[in-house]
Amino acid sequence: MRTILVVGGGYAGFYTAWKLEKRLRRGEARVVVIDPRPYMTYQPFLPEVLAGSVEARHAAVSLRRHLHRTTLIAGSVVEVDHTHRTVRVQPVEGPEYPLAYDIIVVTAGAVTRKLAVPGVAEQAIGLKHVEEAVAIRDRLLTAFDRASTLGPGPQRRRLLTVTFVGGGFSGVEGFGELLSLATALLRAYPEIGPEELEFHLVEARDRILPEVSDGPGRWVVRTLEKRGARVHLNAQLLSASDGHVVLSTGAEFDSELIVWTVGNGANPMVRSHTDLPVDARGMLVVRADLRVGTDDEPVRDAWGAGDDAAVPDLAADRPGSATVPNAQHAVRQGKLLARNIVATLRGGETKPYVHHSLGTVATLGLGRGIFQWRRVVIKGLPAWLMHRGYHVLAVPTWERKLRVLAVWLVAAVSGRDIVSLASVQDPRRAFVTGGDPAPEKLSAPATPGTSAW
């Protein structure tokens, strides 16, 4: 029985495996998925995880719960040797080992693009995974708790200052949702005035949200500024050392929370550790039917899709364009990929990937949104409702749809949950300190079986 190896369990990888299970006949092929995480992150929900509108667990789709006939390996592929149909696997536990396959599907996804800006690696948090969204929310809530005990001054001002770097889709949505949460928190913190909140959005280009046209983009900037935010256009982050933000425009301020959302970079494994063809950007070269290679030189038994693949955009006006790396494409590519693999197994014909955009919709906070389809632009509450309606339909499995709907309905009646669970990131602290308010006075941990003080 042939082995179909899926590298990565994100959108494209999850949907490829899910649909292969439905299409493959019993005994026709076995499917193996390798991913270090046991879940697929539904990234469009991450901004709402920031705001507490969606439970963190509900933005993660369990692989084991939904891939019943797939072999799941918790680990990462560190090298692909397609010539010998072998990959090197680094499991979560244990040494590397080789794994053979017959057909490979590379859907490893992109990584957060990092720039050599002093202080970013030490201070910033990304917004690509569930744990990052949870940490951002908890840091904001903890900052409010700490600031409420301080008098006016630099430390209080720093705690109430938030900086997002990157004005793309995820940056603007996360910024708008976190601003909405912070504004709502003021009702629970009478010690803090709205004028004390400082929210900065930094974008190197002259506009935000490149996915929409200039007019709606300017409207989003005006809307954010009316809500008290500061949008820095044509500005680059020069330094974030010790939380002190320095911009190329000359602006400087201290920020307790810095979120880095400057876009995607090529996956290091795809870019540097495979014999499959990649382009100058480090993206996998694929044909319109998602087979790796070109029309003149296809690579047998190798397929690719998602953020790590340069998929030709046949619906674009410009020849040579590639599909943009978003969920709308990755989901549909995964479904088509499964169909084309099964077709080749049975001697059938493959189909090219063609998808005409359904429009762009973004949340800007509770009750606020923006939607554009060609020249049609919808703003405010209707766009926000369209955003929620689309994504509750798009999130995979009815189980997840029902859970998300239930959280939204409860929140509509009872309001936001404003409890910080930052302490879960240090779960042993209470056990080790024993309630001592000055744990630094404790001696170093003793050997097992003896007292620590």
Side-chain angles (χ1 to χ4, degrees):
M1 185 162 51
R2 282 174 284 195
T3 296
I4 302 172
L5 176 63
V6 181
V7 181
Y11 289 116
F14 172 80
Y15 274 94
T16 298
W18 200 26
K19 295 304 179 181
L20 280 172
E21 283 194 352
K22 298 177 185 299
R23 289 180 174 274
L24 288 170
R25 303 186 186 110
R26 188 169 297 277
E28 190 171 17
R30 74 184 188 108
V31 181
V32 178
V33 173
I34 301 178
D35 196 282
R37 289 180 171 83
Y39 56 83
M40 183 270 282
T41 303
Y42 190 73
Q43 291 181 349
F45 277 158
L46 294 186
E48 296 210 50
V49 172
L50 292 187
S53 301
V54 170
E55 283 287 333
R57 291 190 304 275
H58 300 168
V61 179
S62 170
L63 299 181
R64 290 192 178 274
R65 184 182 180 112
H66 301 290
L67 300 179
H68 303 293
R69 294 191 290 118
T70 296
T71 300
L72 299 172
I73 298 176
S76 302
V77 171
V78 296
E79 184 181 14
V80 176
D81 181 3
H82 189 64
T83 302
H84 299 96
R85 302 294 196 276
T86 305
V87 297
R88 297 288 304 177
V89 179
Q90 175 59 68
V92 174
E93 296 287 344
E96 287 185 13
Y97 63 88
L99 181 67
Y101 63 84
D102 298 288
I103 299 170
I104 191 169
V105 178
V106 181
T107 55
V111 297
T112 301
R113 181 160 58 96
K114 298 175 183 176
L115 303 176
V117 178
V120 165
E122 297 79 15
Q123 300 293 328
I125 306 177
L127 185 52
K128 199 172 182 65
H129 302 290
V130 172
E131 59 267 31
E132 293 173 325
V134 172
I136 292 168
R137 169 182 163 79
D138 285 344
R139 284 200 185 186
L140 179 74
L141 295 171
T142 301
F144 265 72
D145 284 333
R146 294 170 59 192
S148 66
T149 65
L150 297 174
Q155 181 60 19
R156 179 178 171 117
R157 186 163 56 250
R158 175 193 173 110
L159 288 168
L160 298 175
T161 300
V162 175
T163 305
F164 272 65
V165 184
F169 217 80
S170 62
V172 171
E173 285 197 313
F175 185 79
E177 286 286 354
L178 202 65
L179 176 60
S180 178
L181 172 62
T183 304
L185 284 174
L186 293 173
R187 292 193 291 271
Y189 290 85
E191 308 93 336
I192 299 174
E195 72 284 350
E196 294 185 85
L197 291 182
E198 289 191 30
F199 269 68
H200 298 268
L201 177 61
V202 181
E203 171 54 46
R205 292 168 292 189
D206 61 355
R207 53 165 298 180
I208 62 173
L209 281 181
E211 296 86 353
V212 302
S213 57
D214 290 345
R218 288 192 294 270
W219 177 84
V220 172
V221 171
R222 292 195 302 270
T223 299
L224 292 174
E225 290 179 337
K226 286 180 181 177
R227 293 163 59 188
R230 174 84 182 275
V231 180
H232 303 264
L233 299 178
N234 294 310
Q236 295 181 346
L237 179 65
L238 301 181
S239 175
S241 297
D242 298 322
H244 183 69
V245 175
V246 180
L247 304 182
S248 58
T249 58
E252 295 187 33
F253 48 87
D254 291 328
S255 182
E256 178 70 13
L257 178 57
I258 301 173
V259 184
W260 184 264
T261 61
V262 296
N264 293 329
N267 189 297
M269 186 279 292
V270 176
R271 182 185 62 229
S272 306
H273 302 287
T274 175
D275 57 354
L276 295 171
V278 296
D279 63 15
R281 299 173 300 157
M283 307 285 282
L284 199 65
V285 176
V286 299
R287 310 189 319 177
D289 64 356
L290 306 179
R291 190 192 300 270
V292 172
T294 63
D295 292 336
D296 296 329
E297 297 183 16
V299 178
R300 184 177 176 84
D301 297 329
W303 304 80
D307 293 355
D308 62 0
V311 180
D313 191 352
L314 302 185
D317 297 331
R318 294 178 300 167
S321 297
T323 58
V324 296
N326 62 23
Q328 193 175 133
H329 286 298
V331 168
R332 289 169 174 80
Q333 289 168 9
K335 294 178 180 179
L336 177 67
L337 216 162
R339 182 197 178 283
N340 282 348
I341 290 174
V342 173
T344 58
L345 288 175
R346 299 172 184 170
E349 296 292 326
T350 61
K351 287 188 175 182
Y353 177 74
V354 183
H355 174 62
H356 296 273
S357 175
L358 302 175
T360 299
V361 63
T363 175
L364 303 173
L366 192 64
R368 302 176 176 91
I370 180 78
F371 169 82
Q372 182 175 16
W373 181 70
R374 298 181 182 177
R375 295 186 179 181
V376 177
V377 178
I378 300 174
K379 305 171 184 176
L381 179 61
W384 178 77
L385 292 172
M386 292 173 67
H387 175 273
R388 284 207 160 182
Y390 172 78
H391 285 299
V392 79
L393 291 174
V395 66
T397 78
W398 281 103
E399 172 255 341
R400 275 295 176 263
K401 298 180 198 294
L402 293 174
R403 289 181 186 275
V404 171
L405 277 174
V407 171
W408 283 343
L409 291 173
V410 170
V413 175
S414 60
R416 298 175 187 265
D417 188 339
I418 61 171
V419 175
S420 169
L421 294 178
S423 57
V424 301
Q425 298 171 34
D426 187 11
R428 298 185 65 253
R429 181 177 177 82
F431 173 75
V432 171
T433 64
D436 192 326
E440 68 276 2
K441 295 180 181 179
L442 298 178
S443 61
T447 56
T450 63
S451 174
W453 59 83

